[in-house]
Amino acid sequence: MSLRKQLLLAFGVQGAGAASVLLATVWLGAVQGPEQQGVFNRTKAEIEFVAALTLLGLPQALFFFVQAGGISMQRALRWAAGSVVLALLAGAGYAVSRQSGAVAAVAMGLAVAACVCHGQLRALLLVGKRSAWFNAVTALPQVLLLLAVAWVISGPVDDHAPWPLAFLLAFGVAAVLAAWRLHVTRQPPRPSTVAWHQLAHYGLAAWLLAVLSTGAMLLMQRWVELHAGAAALGQFTLAMTLVLVPLVPIAYAAPLLFRRWMAQPAATGLWRWSAGLCGALLACAGAVWLGAAVWPDLGLGPAYDGTTRVLAVLLAGAAAEAALRLMTVQAGAQGRPWMPVRAEAFRGVVLLLGWLLPLPPGLLPLCAVWSLGCWAAAVALVWPARAQRPVPGAAP
């Protein structure tokens, strides 16, 4: 199957998953208000952050070396199993640190473990040339989360909705499906030629990148809630969900481009795509800002007043994020996973400086800091990358 057909298939199948998350977020906010929506998105961010900690960068590293023939699938699955056990302990420990009860700690531990298991097995499904099962397993948890939101909405408003259980079921079912598919298509054992320190070197970079990016979002949500309140957190998370919509095609294409650019390190069209996406999103941000005068609440009611301008500011940051994500894929495929880590560190520095500086009250200044962080990260990655020349077969 050609790359174009694979991308179209990814957009169609995974698009259903992204649409499910968007619908779930907007539906929950419209029916139960920004506070309940904020709880849902905060739980999601917490699970993703702890999962990123315990994934250890292995999905990218294992795929890179299994696809290149340096590690057997059997050895990769053993590494994945170890990270799932670690995730169970880390998730429960995180809940305990938040002074949660025993039941909540177990639920969080299982939810993080399911998320990690899904992440590890999902990456290994992409090994080879076919991608249909990878797309299905990627979209399934998002569709199941929509069903969970529908179930919560059908009942009374509850500030303690069982969101960890919803994530456990969503990622758990998808992980079981991925495990079954890998068992059906299991490969004959072959000797591994990659030493553990090579895997660790690549995995550590991917791990730091995931931790820094998810940690930045978790820090931002905490900051918004402390600085502007629970309702502002709901507005911010809704706007951020909408901002991610134009970035979704990059997320769909990233694994397929990663695999393609491993074989063809020239990354044809990278700069043209990056510039085009950046310009389009900046234009979109300007249009949304102008539209805020007549549609300040995105049509969701007084509780979301001012959210349109929040969306515009965040879209300005997403313009830089688009280029950053494409360049990150290229760096990983060329065996240079540490370049994006440095860029993500720049984002963290901007957020920490914003946290320390006395900012005007309200949500917009916080969103402006986030967007500045996105541009700092993009510049930190794009500027030195322009001087880089692709190195075919570059070792990590």
Side-chain angles (χ1 to χ4, degrees):
M1 185 183 297
S2 67
L3 178 62
R4 177 176 297 181
K5 291 182 178 179
Q6 291 181 50
L7 290 174
L8 289 175
L9 180 62
F11 293 160
V13 177
Q14 295 186 46
S20 298
V21 172
L22 178 60
L23 176 59
T25 303
V26 174
W27 190 10
L28 184 62
V31 175
Q32 297 195 347
E35 289 82 3
Q36 182 62 244
Q37 183 203 73
V39 173
F40 169 76
N41 282 282
R42 185 181 63 203
T43 303
K44 180 175 180 290
E46 289 174 338
I47 291 174
E48 289 176 346
F49 174 67
V50 181
L53 284 173
T54 49
L55 278 168
L56 303 175
L58 286 175
Q60 297 91 331
L62 291 176
F63 169 76
F64 183 86
F65 287 112
V66 173
Q67 179 74 8
I71 291 181
S72 68
M73 180 65 75
Q74 290 73 18
R75 185 183 176 193
L77 290 173
R78 287 196 294 271
W79 278 92
S83 70
V84 172
V85 175
L86 179 61
L88 177 63
L89 300 176
Y94 177 83
V96 170
S97 71
R98 295 290 310 279
Q99 299 181 340
S100 302
V103 174
V106 171
M108 178 62 79
L110 291 173
V112 173
C115 185
V116 167
C117 186
H118 170 263
Q120 302 284 23
L121 300 183
R122 167 181 168 269
L124 294 175
L125 283 174
L126 196 58
V127 172
K129 295 183 178 180
R130 299 183 62 84
S131 56
W133 280 95
F134 170 83
N135 294 325
V137 169
T138 299
L140 181 58
Q142 299 166 320
V143 175
L144 294 177
L145 281 175
L146 174 60
L147 298 178
V149 167
W151 175 70
V152 170
I153 288 175
S154 66
V157 176
D158 184 4
D159 291 337
H160 302 285
W163 294 125
L165 178 60
F167 283 93
L168 166 61
L169 293 175
F171 286 107
V173 170
V176 169
L177 179 62
W180 170 80
R181 181 60 185 172
L182 287 171
H183 175 74
V184 169
T185 59
R186 61 185 181 275
Q187 302 173 351
R190 68 168 182 262
S192 298
T193 60
V194 174
W196 71 268
H197 62 85
Q198 294 175 281
L199 183 65
H201 183 269
Y202 194 107
L204 179 60
W207 176 78
L208 283 174
L209 179 61
V211 169
L212 287 172
S213 59
T214 56
M217 179 54 65
L218 186 59
L219 171 66
M220 193 67 201
Q221 291 188 8
R222 294 288 188 200
W223 188 17
V224 168
E225 189 172 20
L226 290 173
H227 186 83
L233 175 62
Q235 294 175 357
F236 174 80
T237 55
L238 173 63
M240 186 59 73
T241 300
L242 295 174
V243 163
L244 292 177
V245 171
L247 298 179
V248 162
I250 300 177
Y252 296 166
L256 301 176
L257 291 176
F258 189 103
R259 186 173 64 183
R260 176 66 171 265
W261 288 343
M262 281 183 65
Q264 300 178 7
T268 305
L270 173 65
W271 294 104
R272 183 175 65 253
W273 297 346
S274 299
L277 284 169
C278 186
L281 286 172
L282 283 176
C284 184
V288 171
W289 181 270
L290 294 175
V294 294
W295 205 28
D297 59 1
L298 295 177
L300 295 175
Y304 287 91
D305 187 43
T307 306
T308 304
R309 287 190 171 178
V310 169
L311 176 60
V313 173
L314 293 178
L315 276 171
E321 186 76 24
L324 175 67
R325 294 191 180 191
L326 282 174
M327 293 295 298
T328 296
V329 176
Q330 183 206 36
Q334 292 180 355
R336 298 188 177 107
W338 285 93
M339 290 176 60
V341 175
R342 177 181 55 190
E344 199 63 41
F346 273 80
R347 188 206 305 266
V349 169
V350 171
L351 293 182
L352 289 175
L353 287 175
W355 184 295
L356 296 174
L357 292 174
L359 296 177
L363 182 55
L364 276 180
L366 307 185
C367 296
V369 173
W370 173 264
S371 292
L372 286 174
C374 293
W375 278 98
V379 170
L381 181 58
V382 171
W383 187 262
R386 292 182 64 88
Q388 295 284 349
R389 291 292 183 268
V391 180

